[in-house]
Amino acid sequence: MPVLFLAARPYNNSMKKTVYTNATIVTALSVATRGLGFLYRIVLSRFIGAEGLGLYQVAFSLFGLFATIGAGGIPITVSRMITKAKAQKDPYAEKQTVSAGLILCLLLSLPTAFLFGFLGHKFTFLFTDKRTFKVFQILIVGLVFASVYAVLRGSFWGNKEFLTPSILETAEEALMVIIGVMLLQNVSSPVDGAQKAAWAVTLSCCIVCIAALLFFFNKGGALCAPKNTLKPLFNATLPITSVRAGGSLVNSAIAVLLPAMLIKAGLNETQALKLFGIVSGMVIPVLFMPSTLIGSLALVLVPELAEDYYKSNQARLRKNILRGLKFSVIVACSLIPLLFSVGGDVGKIAFSNATAGKIIEKSCILLLPMSVTMISTSILNSLGFEKQTFLYYFLGAAALLLCILILPQYFGAYAYCIGLGASFSINAVCNLVLLWKKGLLFEKGRGQVWIQQFLPTLLLTIPICFLGRRLANLCKQFFGEPLATILTALIVLSLSLLLLLVRKLFKRRPTMKNR
């Protein structure tokens, strides 16, 4: 997909080739990583059930909060500061940046790990369901390792070594699946299963952190006294970390509020926890599929955007921004018809849960604002607009929490997906308006052309959605459900790509060299 998307007007052959290559490799590994993560979700749903998955998700959401506080904005900030040091030809500043990042992440993560590891019994009030506390204590063991790895990942990004962290993250997912399958063979209860799943996460995280350290020093990485680098790094990291910590805090709040609101709407505690496990552990991973492709592109584009920004190369900066936004729309237009057509079958086949399939099917429309938000937020952060994205995020988060508080009595678990749609829509609109005001969105006179190109394309995805649904029902009359789902998915994807070709959203690269 990135190769097809980036086949726009050339701006520099060598740089374009680098972006193509990096985007393709990172995307392939990201897809593999996300595929392994999806496989692990299937394993968990089969071994520990919806209730165990709910317990695991509640504990993991709180762990995610502290992991974000420990290193949330550090990787992208380290990457950007290293890029700046390279542009200024200052190798000593690169070492200072990595050293400052490691010191900062340890200062933020070690106290938390100590408090919950040794004095955790004093904080059980944070858990509405006390069964999740032991699961969380297992996860918190890996907090320091996760924080250290985050800094190293930022160092790799800043040096444009995208392959190393991608391989490590794929290995981490593979280890998690292997260890998880081994530990979950004899599960005695949902709580036991959630604890064993947590150990799989922690052990894989520790192993990959050690491997990353070996890679870092083997590639010539070095540390030195950070001197005056620590404070600038902290100041630059704070807005991004605040946004991501806010996201983790919102996820933690949802893990508490959604089951509570479902109970208030008439479900008992077990039913509410199971439904939360279905939405957070089965539905959301499927709906967040665009993050794999968009995240890999953002990973490659961020250093390029930062470099163009610091060198005041406005023309190339604007072209790359538009390429990123264009790619996000391509991803959404490809996946929305796919999930609308076969999302219900995915839930039944992958998770053996029809409810998950129905929610996936009816919530796929949020992929469009989600995709635009993901890429535009990464773009703005790379250009130094972290404070603005911080504000926009919390506007969206407020809308999400409001939906969680009000809508469960009317829409049940769908309230979560409705809230996500509202949140992403607010973020996408605010991000695009800011880019437009800064003169970074369109070249003069190009805005109307983009609207004329994209709006009909979005409208034409609607008949593909309904055609795919009819096709799925037809295929099931002649084939078994798995085969019918695969055939429908292939046909719907082909129709979506044909639409994008007809609408000239990307061009096919005809020569073997360009492919």
Side-chain angles (χ1 to χ4, degrees):
M1 286 290 290
V3 176
L4 294 171
F5 148 68
L6 290 167
R9 289 161 37 192
Y11 58 92
N12 180 288
N13 287 335
S14 61
M15 181 169 290
K16 184 172 63 175
K17 182 179 179 181
T18 301
V19 173
Y20 288 162
T21 304
N22 288 336
T24 302
I25 293 172
V26 172
T27 299
L29 289 170
S30 296
V31 170
T33 303
R34 185 54 61 93
L36 288 167
F38 186 70
L39 175 62
Y40 190 56
R41 295 287 174 176
I42 295 173
V43 169
L44 290 180
S45 67
R46 299 297 177 93
F47 279 102
I48 68 178
E51 185 179 359
L53 194 55
L55 293 169
Y56 170 80
Q57 287 296 136
V58 171
F60 195 83
S61 65
L62 189 58
F63 168 76
L65 170 62
F66 290 108
T68 303
I69 292 172
I74 291 179
I76 192 170
T77 307
V78 167
S79 170
R80 193 174 67 199
M81 290 180 70
I82 288 177
T83 301
K84 183 178 179 180
K86 285 185 172 298
Q88 297 173 345
K89 298 181 179 179
D90 187 356
Y92 190 70
E94 297 179 37
K95 300 175 184 178
Q96 288 182 314
T97 298
V98 178
S99 302
L102 289 172
I103 291 172
L104 184 58
C105 80
L106 290 173
L107 287 173
L108 293 172
S109 60
L110 272 174
T112 303
F114 176 82
L115 283 175
F116 283 98
F118 296 98
L119 303 173
H121 61 279
K122 297 183 180 295
F123 298 94
T124 54
F125 65 89
L126 293 172
F127 303 89
T128 53
D129 190 325
K130 304 302 181 185
R131 295 178 297 172
T132 60
F133 173 66
K134 286 293 183 182
V135 181
F136 174 74
Q137 272 199 313
I138 295 169
L139 290 169
I140 209 69
V141 173
L143 180 62
V144 176
F145 294 96
S147 299
V148 170
Y149 172 69
V151 178
L152 299 176
R153 185 173 63 213
S155 171
F156 293 139
W157 291 349
N159 287 286
K160 298 184 180 180
E161 295 177 4
F162 303 106
L163 185 60
T164 300
S166 296
I167 290 174
L168 288 171
E169 285 158 25
T170 303
E172 182 178 5
E173 290 291 336
L175 283 169
M176 185 171 63
V177 173
I178 294 169
I179 296 170
V181 170
M182 292 172 61
L183 293 177
L184 293 170
Q185 291 300 313
N186 296 302
V187 175
S188 60
S189 67
V191 179
D192 179 53
Q195 290 178 359
K196 289 179 177 178
W199 273 118
V201 174
T202 298
L203 291 173
S204 61
C205 181
C206 296
I207 294 170
V208 167
C209 176
I210 294 170
L213 284 168
L214 294 175
F215 269 105
F216 174 75
F217 289 112
N218 187 53
K219 287 179 175 288
L223 304 176
C224 65
K227 292 186 179 179
N228 299 322
T229 309
L230 190 60
K231 186 176 179 180
L233 178 68
F234 176 77
N235 291 336
T237 298
L238 186 59
I240 303 175
T241 300
S242 299
V243 170
R244 296 184 179 180
S248 298
L249 184 60
V250 169
N251 290 335
S252 299
I254 291 170
V256 174
L257 290 175
L258 184 56
M261 292 300 104
L262 291 171
I263 291 171
K264 188 177 179 180
L267 300 181
N268 60 42
E269 186 175 347
T270 299
Q271 290 172 330
L273 193 60
K274 284 182 177 180
L275 200 51
F276 174 73
I278 290 170
V279 176
S280 61
M282 302 178 191
V283 174
I284 297 302
V286 175
L287 293 179
F288 271 63
M289 284 195 300
S291 65
T292 304
L293 299 173
I294 293 173
S296 64
L297 179 68
L299 177 63
V300 174
L301 278 182
V302 162
E304 305 293 343
L305 293 171
E307 183 177 351
D308 291 339
Y309 181 72
Y310 288 119
K311 291 183 177 180
S312 299
N313 193 336
Q314 293 293 316
R316 196 169 69 193
L317 177 62
R318 188 182 292 111
K319 286 180 180 179
N320 274 332
I321 289 173
L322 291 177
R323 284 185 171 96
L325 293 171
K326 184 177 181 180
F327 181 61
S328 70
V329 175
I330 287 175
V331 171
C333 289
S334 300
L335 293 181
I336 288 174
L338 177 67
L339 292 182
F340 187 83
S341 303
V342 300
D345 297 321
V346 168
K348 287 186 286 186
I349 295 171
F351 302 110
S352 299
N353 194 295
T355 302
K358 290 179 181 178
I359 299 176
I360 292 169
E361 186 180 284
K362 295 179 180 179
S363 304
C364 62
I365 188 62
L366 68 83
L367 267 64
L368 179 60
M370 177 200 300
S371 300
V372 174
T373 295
M374 286 177 177
I375 193 68
S376 59
T377 299
S378 295
I379 288 170
L380 288 169
N381 285 340
S382 71
L383 302 181
F385 295 109
E386 297 95 339
K387 293 180 181 178
Q388 288 87 340
T389 58
F390 175 81
L391 174 62
Y392 299 158
Y393 172 78
F394 278 103
L395 289 175
L400 171 58
L401 290 175
L402 196 61
C403 291
I404 295 294
L405 289 170
I406 296 174
L407 298 183
Q409 59 181 321
Y410 305 107
F411 299 101
Y414 287 97
Y416 191 5
C417 298
I418 295 171
L420 284 174
S423 175
F424 284 128
S425 297
I426 291 170
N427 275 261
V429 170
C430 290
N431 288 348
L432 292 176
V433 169
L434 179 60
L435 285 169
W436 177 70
K437 285 184 176 180
K438 296 297 180 180
L440 299 172
L441 193 55
F442 300 117
E443 297 176 13
K444 188 175 181 180
R446 293 286 297 173
Q448 185 177 357
V449 174
W450 272 66
I451 293 172
Q452 291 174 348
Q453 185 180 30
F454 281 101
L455 186 58
T457 303
L458 295 174
L459 293 175
L460 287 171
T461 60
I462 297 174
I464 295 178
C465 289
F466 288 100
L467 179 62
R469 180 76 64 79
R470 295 293 299 273
L471 182 63
N473 293 332
L474 180 63
C475 287
K476 288 175 187 176
Q477 297 178 14
F478 300 96
F479 308 102
E481 191 169 64
L483 181 57
T485 301
I486 293 171
L487 289 174
T488 303
L490 291 174
I491 294 171
V492 170
L493 273 177
S494 299
L495 290 173
S496 298
L497 293 176
L498 180 62
L499 170 64
L500 296 172
L501 278 170
V502 171
R503 296 295 305 164
K504 298 181 180 180
L505 289 191
F506 63 78
K507 298 177 182 178
R508 183 174 62 86
R509 306 291 293 189
T511 67
M512 181 61 71
K513 180 180 178 180
N514 286 328
R515 278 199 296 272

